[in-house]
Amino acid sequence: MLRVFLTHTPEMFAGYYGARALAALQQHAEVVRNPGTTVLSGAALAEAARGCQAIVADRATPGTSETFAAAPDLVAFMRVAVDISTIDVAAASAAGVLVTRATPGFVDSVTEQAVGFMVDLARGLSGHVQAYRRGEEPQGRMGVQLSAATLGIVGYGRIGQRLAEVALALGMRVLVADPHATVADPRIVQMPMAELLPQADFVVCLAISIPETRDLFDSAAFARMKRGARFINLSRGELVDEQALAAALDSGQLSGAAMDVGRALDQRPSLFLARRPDVIAAPHIGGMTPEAMEHQAMDTVRQVASLARGALPDNAVNAAAAHRLSRLGISVA
């Protein structure tokens, strides 16, 4: 029977896999759990997964060249996430190991978080809540009405498309910048990012993380934004120059920011930004709903089931190079 190593620590298992997915996985393979509370990597991960043909890895567990070199039994490394930036795909391919990823199951959950961030930034709700909890009597101040505001979406993937639909339903004017997408909805105006920034009251970063988008939002980008606008990052921390964001907030160029991601550990917001009173920060929880979690966990269950029956799994990244699949009777020629 196929043996699978599940990397999740107890905390990660509760938030990103769950008992139902584990039970389904055990229908197709013998499952070996991470025996400790530490995120494993390198040779330690290879040693823990000794004798296993597949590793099902949470987002915090990297796939390093050291792991692939030290795991002769490994046939597949499966990420329970869309992001595979911490998997050395070239090293996996050199070793003949298949890499797979999950499909986005968090479109609605992240979209809902984006709306929550916009409402909070527009009306200062969390600030009022904190003042009351301190025993203070906060002063009300004029807010922004979303139905009278313009939303700029940078990155028109699945989340961007869903957010645009919701924003239109709220009565917002919606602008989109994405050189790799074509917007078909006539209610949405597509334009270059440089033209979008000065027109938007709220700018949401949903661009993909590739070398070309690193520090996409830098001092020049923030300077182009409408003075007093609000900025939201729900993509990846490396897309934002955090010092430039802090400077834009200090100068009043931006009146507020919200983020679920940043450059701290596990893509969490950096504390020097998260502690600011003009920032709303969440600890990378966009996909932390039972529906989103189970969607991606069940993707890996289906992938393992494919391996177990001798078929190539869906969402394979490097199938042509994964020659170890032949051990399971799977041809990639």
Side-chain angles (χ1 to χ4, degrees):
M1 191 177 188
L2 197 70
R3 294 187 81 220
V4 173
F5 183 74
L6 189 65
T7 69
H8 299 60
T9 64
E11 178 185 5
M12 290 297 289
F13 178 81
Y16 293 97
Y17 212 79
R20 291 208 312 174
L22 175 61
L25 186 63
Q26 289 170 329
Q27 296 297 310
H28 305 286
E30 176 188 351
V31 180
V32 180
R33 297 280 304 275
N34 184 344
T37 58
T38 302
V39 174
L40 297 171
S41 65
L45 175 57
E47 178 59 30
R50 184 175 299 278
C52 294
Q53 290 81 38
I55 291 175
V56 174
D58 62 272
R59 71 187 192 192
T61 300
T64 68
S65 58
E66 188 179 7
T67 294
F68 298 125
D73 302 315
L74 189 63
V75 174
F77 191 98
M78 300 171 163
R79 172 55 58 73
V80 195
V82 176
D83 179 32
I84 57 169
S85 61
T86 60
I87 300 176
D88 189 334
V89 177
S93 297
V97 175
L98 179 72
V99 174
T100 69
R101 70 201 318 167
T103 56
F106 44 75
V107 172
D108 284 342
S109 63
V110 175
T111 298
E112 291 166 10
Q113 188 177 23
V115 174
F117 276 161
M118 286 196 294
V119 172
D120 201 338
L121 288 171
R123 307 301 295 272
L125 300 179
S126 58
H128 295 324
V129 169
Q130 291 169 14
Y132 275 121
R133 287 176 178 171
R134 292 192 300 266
E136 301 170 4
E137 193 76 41
Q139 294 298 313
R141 60 177 182 271
M142 192 65 66
V144 173
Q145 187 167 302
L146 294 185
S147 64
T150 297
L151 171 63
I153 301 173
V154 178
Y156 196 62
R158 296 186 189 186
I159 299 172
Q161 293 167 35
R162 180 63 176 145
L163 179 58
E165 292 174 357
V166 173
L168 288 168
L170 290 172
M172 301 184 78
R173 176 179 178 235
V174 179
L175 313 177
V176 165
D178 190 332
H180 307 292
T182 300
V183 179
D185 192 325
R187 298 171 297 171
I188 300 170
V189 181
Q190 185 171 13
M191 60 183 62
M193 178 174 155
E195 296 178 19
L196 176 152
L197 294 178
Q199 299 186 50
D201 301 295
F202 296 84
V203 174
V204 180
C205 175
L206 291 168
I208 59 173
S209 178
I210 55 177
E212 292 75 18
T213 58
R214 187 175 183 86
D215 290 331
L216 177 68
F217 283 90
D218 56 10
S219 57
F222 291 127
R224 278 194 286 269
M225 288 177 63
K226 179 187 295 188
R227 186 165 182 83
R230 281 89 169 161
F231 173 73
I232 299 170
N233 187 14
L234 288 163
S235 179
R236 303 293 290 175
E238 59 269 18
L239 272 66
V240 177
D241 180 333
E242 294 185 332
Q243 297 298 332
L245 174 56
L249 290 165
D250 287 340
S251 69
Q253 173 63 12
L254 299 182
S255 64
M259 60 194 70
D260 188 47
V261 292
R263 298 200 179 193
L265 185 66
D266 192 28
Q267 278 285 318
R268 295 186 177 196
S270 296
L271 287 178
F272 84 94
L273 284 172
R275 67 166 63 101
R276 294 180 60 115
D278 50 7
V279 169
I280 303 163
H284 200 178
I285 60 168
M288 288 189 69
T289 65
E291 294 79 8
M293 173 194 75
E294 192 163 277
H295 174 105
Q296 295 193 313
M298 293 304 296
D299 275 348
T300 63
V301 171
R302 287 185 284 272
Q303 290 165 351
V304 168
S306 293
L307 287 181
R309 67 173 183 268
L312 181 68
D314 291 336
N315 303 307
V317 175
N318 62 337
H323 58 77
R324 289 189 188 179
L325 287 170
S326 62
R327 302 176 186 178
L328 302 178
I330 303 172
S331 174
V332 294

